[in-house]
Amino acid sequence: MKIKDILATGKPSVSFEVFPPKKDAPFEPVRDAVARLALQKPSFMSVTYGASGNAQANTVEIASFVQKCGVPALAHLTCLSSSRDRIAEELKTLRTAGVENILCLRGDLPKDASEPPPGHFNHAVDLVRELRPSPFCLGGACYPECHPDCAHMEDDISHLCEKVEAGLDFITTQMFFDNNIFYRYLAKLRSRGITVPVIAGIMPVTNGRQIDRICKLSGTYLPSRFKAIVDRFGDSQQAMLDAGVAYATEQIVDLFANGSNAVHIYTMNKPEVAERIMSNLRGIIG
Ligand code: FAD
């Protein structure tokens, strides 16, 4: 099923994100996590692309498995590190596997490269233009706290406008920990004429040690309320799990209460986290 049709129903949508096994790593643990996550009946499940080390081919395989579990799959596809031929091949395999949704991304260059190899796409908008004539439902990424490569939010939104106009059906945000940042951003997008659904990306933080590094890389603001949680509970796995699930649940309840209809949980292959959040939301999402 196409994500644009799921979102058009107007029902609250909760989706999950998983990452594929790294190159040469076993598939079984990821398949097991996906099968368990599917039992929570998410609206769809997205599968990242090459984000955790050369796992590009595995994205298609895991996306196919998501479909087999009865959940619509959203396959991520980055264009900076993939040749046009490779992208064409991936699309063929995805189509054969019945995957109807693609998240069009630029991705990032490896640390030792300064520009994309000749013939590669430069920005996600180039990938959207290439794929738009196809029947795939297309999504893209957006950044409530501005993309780290862009000096000004207004310029970043101008680039997003261009990407949406090229043919995106929906956009998903980078994680944020302060909902007010999301509300202000959404208002800006609407005032700039972006009318496609905006899916709020929520990261349940269950490991206190990782969060500083992730936020430095992405430029995500950590509210003092959130920092206090990490400072107090970050060293205890169980306490951080409880606190991270509670914080994410509260963010999601607030988003639904304020009119957002679609939330994407960065579940990071952790079914126990998704199960606890979904259990907290049962009465809200039905
Ligand atoms: P773009 O939309 O191309 O934007 C990148 C930068 O270029 C921005 O600063 C933008 O303002 C600027 N820009 C855009 N168009 C132009 C233009 N025409 N001229 C000048 N500047 C321009 N990474 C992975 O490797 N794998 C994944 O699976 C993955 N999944 C993600 C999912 C989500 C929801 C999000 C938010 C991010 C994800 N990422 C993933 C990270 C993403 O690849 C990086 O953030 C990357 O740096 C930007 O990708 P993009 O598609 O947003 O790029």
Side-chain angles (χ1 to χ4, degrees):
M1 189 169 184
K2 290 190 174 158
I3 290 170
K4 65 176 179 182
D5 296 330
I6 296 170
L7 298 175
T9 64
K11 289 187 194 145
S13 161
V14 179
S15 50
F16 299 157
E17 181 161 306
V18 294
F19 53 85
K22 288 184 184 169
K23 203 176 173 208
D24 302 327
F27 271 84
E28 239 20 68
V30 181
R31 283 209 195 96
D32 290 349
V34 167
R36 236 177 102 181
L37 284 164
L39 296 176
Q40 295 301 313
K41 300 196 181 344
S43 303
F44 64 89
M45 246 192 267
S46 80
V47 187
T48 64
Y49 190 82
S52 48
N54 280 337
Q56 299 181 339
N58 298 347
T59 299
V60 179
E61 176 121 11
I62 294 297
S64 307
F65 185 70
V66 167
Q67 296 270 131
K68 283 190 193 132
C69 291
V71 175
L74 167 64
H76 295 202
L77 189 58
T78 66
C79 59
L80 207 54
S81 56
S82 303
S83 67
R84 285 165 193 257
D85 287 349
R86 171 152 203 160
I87 286 172
E89 258 173 52
E90 302 273 35
L91 290 178
K92 226 159 88 189
T93 327
L94 285 168
R95 213 173 280 130
T96 311
V99 175
E100 295 180 276
N101 307 290
I102 295 180
L103 194 71
C104 302
L105 296 155
R106 185 194 73 173
D108 293 300
L109 283 174
K111 281 189 190 76
D112 51 356
S114 57
E115 54 185 59
H120 284 212
F121 299 102
N122 280 309
H123 294 290
V125 66
D126 304 323
L127 183 61
V128 181
R129 287 191 182 121
E130 177 86 1
L131 301 194
R132 186 58 290 171
S134 76
F136 282 109
C137 172
L138 303 180
C142 64
Y143 302 84
E145 295 171 72
C146 195
H147 185 270
D149 291 355
C150 201
H152 304 288
M153 175 65 105
E154 291 305 325
D155 293 341
D156 201 35
I157 296 179
S158 298
H159 297 141
L160 180 63
C161 288
E162 206 186 335
K163 194 159 70 168
V164 172
E165 274 161 26
L168 291 183
D169 297 302
F170 65 93
I171 47 181
T172 304
T173 73
Q174 178 62 283
M175 63 179 169
F176 55 88
F177 296 106
D178 178 343
N179 285 4
N180 287 327
I181 290 174
F182 172 77
Y183 298 136
R184 283 196 291 270
Y185 182 63
L186 189 60
K188 262 189 198 153
L189 298 191
R190 297 305 185 220
S191 76
R192 296 282 303 267
I194 292 180
T195 56
V196 293
V198 181
I199 304 179
I202 295 296
M203 168 78 90
V205 176
T206 56
N207 181 333
R209 268 167 288 154
Q210 282 173 351
I211 196 60
D212 262 352
R213 190 180 57 84
I214 296 174
C215 289
K216 265 185 203 128
L217 283 176
S218 61
T220 304
Y221 165 69
L222 286 182
S224 54
R225 207 165 66 82
F226 182 88
K227 272 196 207 146
I229 289 174
V230 178
D231 288 347
R232 178 75 177 82
F233 305 119
D235 290 335
S236 158
Q237 214 180 329
Q238 189 55 49
M240 199 56 224
L241 175 65
D242 289 348
V245 164
Y247 195 94
T249 303
E250 211 180 298
Q251 271 195 286
I252 296 169
V253 171
D254 182 72
L255 286 162
F256 282 134
N258 283 283
S260 288
N261 252 350
V263 167
H264 188 62
I265 307 179
Y266 295 110
T267 43
M268 311 288 286
N269 300 14
K270 290 181 186 152
E272 65 283 5
V273 173
E275 285 159 3
R276 290 183 55 175
I277 295 176
M278 291 303 262
S279 159
N280 290 340
L281 297 176
R282 272 299 158 231
I284 290 169
I285 55 177

